[in-house]
Amino acid sequence: MTEGGGVIIPDVDPEKEGDSEVKITNKLRRDAFLVFRALCKLSMKAPPAEGVVDPFAVRGKVVSLELLKICLENSGAVFRTNERIVGAFVGAVKQYLCLSLLKNCTSSLMSVFQLSCSIFFSLLTRFRSVLKAEIGVFFPMIVLRVLENVAHANFQQKMIVLRFLERLCVDPQILVDIFANYDCDVESTVSIFERMVSGLLKTAQGVPPGADSTLNAAQDQQLRLAAIKCMVGVLRSMGSWTNRQLCVTAGPKVAAEIGAAAAAAAAASAAAAAAAAAQHRLQGKGGCGSCGCAGSTVWGSAAGFCESQDCRAACCEIRGGFGGGGAWRGAWGRAAGGEQWE
């Protein structure tokens, strides 16, 4: 079975697989691997019939996902440093856990969806260096799919995703790694960081006036506040990353001064972009801020730009090359200091 982004997730038949093919000599580590694989298979079990909710099957799925979450959060150094064990464990994550996430990340049960987000967060924070392709598939499927739905979002799902992003945005290294490995990779088909920030901006602006929505006023206000918290976390993380990089070359005092100025400039730029975009929308204008056409605009800058080549160039110039293309994007990613993932 093939999913987007070129990731091949093999079909798994739990009845046809035995334990003899597991090539781990240490008995305790072998047992740990087999338990992990069994939990993945248990979490994939579907209801016996369409539309029938079996409380015991649901409870078994929830318990197995909870145990998988605990396994990932408490995985020791052996699973992350021993080359032979890492190969077997990462192989199980790719073959079994990713298939489990694929089947559970769109579940209508909030407990299942929340656990799927928690498991994905553990993979992103602990094993991202060996799961680049898989993260490139699951981040849009689990996070961006919900985040970018502004008017007709499921309130509970979106709050879960915003809490997930709030935890994610406090880690500067993860943000830089995402930017370097997806937005700056010329072979990547998805700009995760750009879409994440754009989704947060749209959520912070709220439901457009006059648009139909499944959210009431209180829910919309709560989502807007959560999105603003995430954007503040992104700005703080970028400021912290800038300070750390400047400390290496310019010394602590100069770094503090430049870092404070950079953070203030970034905050002012974000506020100006949000205000301009909101005013643009309230005035009922949907055209391009560069050539004046009525084409779809690109979010993320103070003025909207259509998707023509000239306007893309202008937009990239204003945004400091954030959405630029070609080898320049790769050079920008390397300059940002992100770790290259496999």
Side-chain angles (χ1 to χ4, degrees), residues 37-172:
R37 189 178 69 175
L39 290 173
C40 291
K41 292 178 180 179
L42 181 60
S43 68
M44 287 186 269
K45 288 192 179 255
E50 192 69 27
V52 177
V53 178
D54 183 354
F56 293 102
V58 172
R59 182 58 183 161
K61 180 186 287 286
V62 170
V63 170
S64 61
L65 289 171
E66 287 176 344
L67 292 173
L68 284 170
K69 174 177 173 286
I70 293 172
C71 287
L72 291 172
E73 289 177 347
N74 296 278
S75 57
V78 171
F79 283 102
R80 297 196 297 271
T81 57
N82 186 295
E83 194 170 314
R84 187 171 181 182
I85 302 300
V86 166
F89 185 70
V90 171
V93 168
K94 291 182 177 181
Q95 185 174 358
Y96 301 102
L97 185 58
C98 286
L99 184 57
S100 173
L101 280 178
L102 187 67
K103 293 187 175 182
N104 292 314
C105 68
T106 56
S107 175
S108 59
L109 297 172
M110 287 302 107
S111 58
V112 174
F113 179 78
Q114 184 170 11
L115 286 167
S116 298
C117 286
S118 297
I119 289 172
F120 180 63
F121 181 79
S122 295
L123 292 178
L124 186 58
T125 54
R126 292 172 175 268
F127 300 98
R128 62 183 182 273
S129 61
V130 292
L131 296 174
K132 178 179 178 179
E134 288 75 13
I135 290 172
V137 171
F138 285 111
F139 203 104
M141 186 181 298
I142 297 176
V143 180
L144 299 180
R145 173 182 64 88
V146 178
L147 181 65
E148 293 174 337
N149 187 351
V150 177
H152 301 283
N154 181 301
F155 174 73
Q156 290 180 304
Q157 279 192 344
K158 193 150 189 177
M159 281 303 301
I160 290 172
V161 166
L162 288 172
R163 291 192 190 103
F164 165 88
L165 290 175
E166 189 174 358
R167 295 168 62 195
L168 187 72
C169 291
V170 298
D171 190 327

Side-chain angles (χ1 to χ4, degrees), residues 198-264:
S198 176
L200 289 172
L201 176 61
K202 291 179 182 179
T203 302
Q205 291 174 338
V207 179
D212 293 333
S213 176
T214 57
L215 303 171
N216 58 42
Q219 290 175 337
D220 183 48
Q221 188 71 19
Q222 194 171 348
L223 291 175
R224 293 173 68 178
L225 179 60
I228 291 173
K229 287 181 179 178
C230 292
M231 294 175 68
V232 171
V234 172
L235 290 175
R236 285 178 175 170
S237 292
M238 293 299 94
S240 172
W241 175 263
T242 303
N243 288 340
R244 285 194 316 195
Q245 298 304 306
L246 290 174
C247 279
V248 176
T249 57
K253 184 176 180 180
V254 176
E257 294 175 355
I258 299 178

